[in-house]
Each structure stands twice: as structure tokens, then as C-alpha cells.
Amino acid sequence: MKHHQYALTPPMGWNSWDCYGATVREDEVKGNADYMATNLKKYGWEYVVVDIQWSEPGAISSAYRPFVPLEMDEYSRLIPAVNRFPSAKDGKGFKPLADYIHGLGLKFGIHIMRGVPRQAVHQNTKILGTEVTARDIAKPNSICPWNTDMYGVDCSKKGAQEYYDSIFKLYAEWEVDFVKVDDIADSKLYGAHTDEIKMIRKAIDCCGRPMVLSLSPGPAPLEQASLLEENANMWRMTDDFWDLWELLYNMFDRCYKWSKNIGPGYWPDADMLPLGHIGIRSVDGGASDRYTRFTRDEQVTMMTLWSIFRSPLMFGGELRDNDEWTLSLLTNEEVLDMHKNSHSARQVYRQDDKVVWTAKGDEENLYVALFNIGNEKQKVTVNLNQLDLPSSKQVHLRDLWKCKHLGSVSNEISYELSPHSAKLLKISL
């Protein structure tokens, strides 16, 4: 499928939600982009994504304000709030910010909500290139349960596809590279909005610019895997993920269930990485301004699971406040090489909160991740024949997080692991 070529490896970048909620400003976006260009770009990090409510002048946190005015053009299309994004003045939209980010050698992304703005429907504003109005295409009983900005679009109505075509035409003019569409993969009230997913796919294909399409929130239904693969590049397999051990513990089962539905250009998404300095102007995740509540062992466990499973990696913290430890998690070339180039990841087994995953590298290498997701120290073991290797064969082990060789073993690999910790190994034959 043509759109798969836009994301042949799992996308990697920064998203403003975990640290700034609905309130991020242009200077903060540029500051994080500058940091990425200097410190992360050479490791494959490239997307800078402005999350929800960028058209709301008065956004104050991640707590949505119901029925507030949004900035909008004459064709029912939301545009950036100029008080938060000054370069958008005079109708320039996000083009100047995209130019800045492209000038750093990075890519620019935005978040949007499914549907047409309610204020456009109430004001009965035009749809570009048609004689219909927002009121004509709206589906007022198709609403988001947690955000009041939009009504769904009725795909049976004349002008519905033209509306989606018009907004992606605008994003192409802004030179957007990545679009995260929310309230669509699982709407909480109605399940997946398959008709609007298909309209968005068609609109991107017609807009003249490659864009990675990310669908939220989750959990996306596994029975819709084919539809998601046919229309998107990534989709959330979870609700919002925060720095709570219970959520990380549950992610192992989600990754297991989705592990057969993954490949070049289509990536089940375990959601953002709540690392570093988060919650600056966000009230989600059960706490405000903080550094991640995950222990260092839990941070390594999260990064190991995301990387061997090959989830997209979207960092959620304020990059400029990273300490040396946090930066080290994002710049380990051996782990990132596995994330980018491995394939055929699978869970080998899960028993008594001991979990083993493996993935294939080239013909001479494979990877194995050992996890202790229990609350007590315990030994985690995997036999070579469980990895499809002869038990008698001697293999060489390398610890990818510590970047050091561990010697050779035959028959089995076994480590005593602390609670909530992981061991990530490269096996050379």
C-alpha cells in the first residue's frame, strides 16, 4: 500500500501532550525542536508534534474547557490560535512553524479531532469548493464523550468527503508531515469510526503530500486490524498511557495480542513515553508538574518492551529538562538499531510474572528480552530451543543497555532480575 512507504520504520519523535497538555506554545515547540535537532536527530528522532487544542486561545491545562470559541477560517477549518502561535498571523497557519522545524532537518506534525467544528455547524459556515455548509454534513449525534469541539461527519452527505479533502489540502499547504487523528480508533461511545477513517485516508491520498497517519485513542479493536492497516500508519492499542506501573504491566498483554499485526508502514502504538519532566501544564496521569514516577528499572522495562515490539516512540517530556539518564535511554544506538531493523517479534512465554520476548535481526543475530514484572526478585530463564536455536549450540551474548559483552552460553540463558526490571540481549551465533 502506498501510504506504508511513509513510515517503513516505527516513527520516532516528540509530542507536546505529556508535558503541556492542551496549552503548548510556539516557543516551547521550537525549543524542543532545537533540542531534538542537536541531541537526538542523529539517532533517528525526527517528528515534532503539536497535540490537541492548538486552535483554542484560552487553553489552560489538559482539562478541556467545554464549548469554548476556537479560531477558524471561513471554510469551517480550524487554524492556530495566534496568541499561542504568533507566526500564524495573517492567515499563515502552521506554515512558518513547519518551515522552522524543516529548517532543522526535522518533520512537523499536528493533532486533530475527528469531525467538523460544532461552531462551524452552529454558524453554518461554508465547505471549500462546494455549495454545502458545515450544517449539511454534520452528524450531531456523533460526539466525543470527553471533548466538545466537534460533531462527526456524515459520510452519506454531499460535501462530507470534500470537507476532509479541504482540511488536508490546508495541512498540505502548511507542509505537515504527520497527523494524529483523535476520537476515531476507539471513540468510547461508538467504537471505531470506520467511515471517517476511510474518508481521511482518501483525503491524504488526494492532498499531494505524504503524511503519516496516526489514529487515537485506544484500545483499537483487534478485529479491525485489517482496516487499520489498510488506512493508517499507526494506531493506539491502549488508552492514554501514563507513568503508572499498572499501565505498564498491562501493556505486555496488549503487545502480545497485537504482535502478529505489525510490519513496515503499519505499527500498533503503545502510546507516548512518559519520561523526564512531564505534567508541566497537564493534570492527567494522576499528578501535576513532576518528573516521571517510573523507577529507573521500570523506565528500562518500558523502553525494552516498546523497542523489541517495535512500537512508535513518541517522547512526552520537556526535552530541554532531560538529565543524563533520560537522554541515555533515547540515544542507545544498539537498542535503537534493534527497534529500527529487527523483525518477527514474538512473546516466547509468560508465566508467574516472568516474560520473555524475542525478535530476529540478520542471519547471524537475534534478540531476547527477559522481564520480571512481578514484585519480588526472581530468576528468568529461556532455553535456546525456545528461541529456535539448537540447545547444544554456543552463542555469544551482549547486554544492549550496558553496551558490553557477557561471554558465551549454551543450552539456556538465565538471569536473576529485580522487580519490574528487564534484561535486553543480542545473541550472536
Side-chain angles (χ1 to χ4, degrees), residues 10-11 214-215 220 222 225 228-229 232-238 251 254-271 305-306 309-313 339:
S214 168
L215 302 181
L222 189 58
L228 296 166
E229 178 183 334
N233 298 107
M234 49 190 276
W235 53 87
R236 287 262 296 279
M237 57 182 191
T238 176
M251 195 63 69
R254 297 182 188 279
C255 289
Y256 169 65
K257 289 178 178 177
W258 278 100
S259 59
K260 301 296 187 292
N261 300 95
I262 189 168
Y266 54 100
W267 309 105
D269 179 12
D271 200 15
L305 180 61
W306 267 238
F309 173 75
R310 303 188 76 199
S311 170
L313 300 179
H339 175 255

Side-chain angles (χ1 to χ4, degrees), residues 43-168:
Y43 298 98
W45 299 84
E46 59 178 345
Y47 291 98
V48 176
V49 182
V50 176
D51 211 87
I52 196 167
Q53 302 302 115
W54 40 262
S55 59
E56 182 188 342
I60 54 175
S61 75
S62 57
Y64 302 112
R65 303 188 308 145
F67 309 110
V68 294
L70 307 174
E71 296 201 15
M72 187 179 75
D73 72 7
E74 62 183 308
Y75 295 114
S76 310
R77 302 179 297 184
L78 296 178
I79 57 176
V82 174
N83 65 319
R84 292 170 52 197
F85 299 93
S87 68
K89 66 181 180 180
D90 301 325
K92 296 186 181 73
F94 271 131
K95 179 65 164 62
L97 181 55
D99 287 346
Y100 182 89
I101 290 169
H102 292 151
L104 298 172
L106 302 172
K107 295 180 179 179
F108 177 61
I110 59 173
H111 171 292
I112 66 170
M113 293 293 292
R114 168 188 71 90
V116 61
R118 292 190 191 187
Q119 70 182 44
V121 176
H122 300 158
Q123 296 170 19
N124 207 26
T125 49
K126 300 176 183 177
I127 302 299
L128 180 69
T130 75
E131 295 184 2
V132 303
T133 66
R135 192 173 299 169
D136 295 322
I137 66 168
K139 197 173 185 179
N141 64 343
S142 178
I143 60 172
C144 174
W146 44 267
N147 182 286
T148 61
D149 292 348
M150 315 294 269
Y151 290 129
V153 170
D154 186 339
C155 71
S156 69
K157 296 295 182 66
K158 180 181 178 181
Q161 182 64 56
E162 287 81 358
Y163 166 72
Y164 272 119
D165 290 348
S166 76
I167 65 171
F168 280 91

Side-chain angles (χ1 to χ4, degrees), residues 173-209:
E173 292 169 359
W174 291 347
E175 298 190 3
V176 170
D177 306 295
F178 180 107
V179 180
K180 173 183 174 182
V181 185
D182 216 332
D183 187 43
I184 196 164
D186 176 26
S187 72
K188 308 305 178 194
L189 290 177
Y190 316 99
H193 287 277
T194 57
D195 291 334
E196 290 188 80
I197 290 172
K198 292 175 182 177
M199 284 195 287
I200 288 168
R201 173 77 269 145
K202 185 175 179 181
I204 295 175
D205 290 343
C206 293
C207 79
R209 183 174 180 82

Side-chain angles (χ1 to χ4, degrees), residues 270-294:
D271 200 15
M272 292 189 293
L273 301 166
L275 294 172
H277 189 187
I278 59 178
I280 296 170
R281 291 198 299 276
S282 172
V283 295
D284 275 16
S288 56
D289 195 345
R290 66 191 183 278
Y291 278 77
T292 184
R293 292 170 295 194
F294 282 139

Side-chain angles (χ1 to χ4, degrees), residues 265-386:
Y266 54 100
W267 309 105
D269 179 12
D271 200 15
M272 292 189 293
L273 301 166
L275 294 172
H277 189 187
I278 59 178
I280 296 170
R281 291 198 299 276
S282 172
V283 295
D284 275 16
S288 56
D289 195 345
R290 66 191 183 278
Y291 278 77
T292 184
R293 292 170 295 194
F294 282 139
T295 67
R296 287 194 173 188
D297 278 344
E298 290 167 351
Q299 292 173 55
V300 170
T301 291
M302 177 180 63
M303 289 296 297
T304 300
L305 180 61
W306 267 238
S307 296
I308 199 165
F309 173 75
R310 303 188 76 199
S311 170
L313 300 179
M314 288 288 170
F315 187 84
E318 168 51 76
L319 287 169
R320 293 169 293 181
D321 293 339
N322 280 352
D323 56 16
E324 186 176 338
W325 163 259
T326 305
L327 181 60
S328 74
L329 295 174
L330 309 182
T331 56
N332 184 305
E333 293 182 276
E334 297 181 58
V335 174
L336 293 174
D337 181 69
M338 177 192 70
H339 175 255
K340 182 177 181 180
N341 296 313
S342 65
H343 62 93
S344 306
R346 64 181 177 90
Q347 179 180 287
V348 179
Y349 74 83
R350 177 174 180 172
Q351 183 178 12
D352 300 326
D353 284 337
K354 295 180 282 191
V355 185
V356 175
W357 277 70
T358 189
K360 296 180 180 179
D362 58 29
E363 293 181 359
E364 298 296 319
N365 299 286
L366 68 151
Y367 302 94
V368 63
L370 312 176
F371 300 94
N372 174 12
I373 59 174
N375 295 322
E376 304 292 336
K377 181 180 288 188
Q378 57 181 341
K379 183 176 289 186
V380 183
T381 300
V382 63
N383 295 317
L384 293 188
N385 57 20
Q386 292 176 290

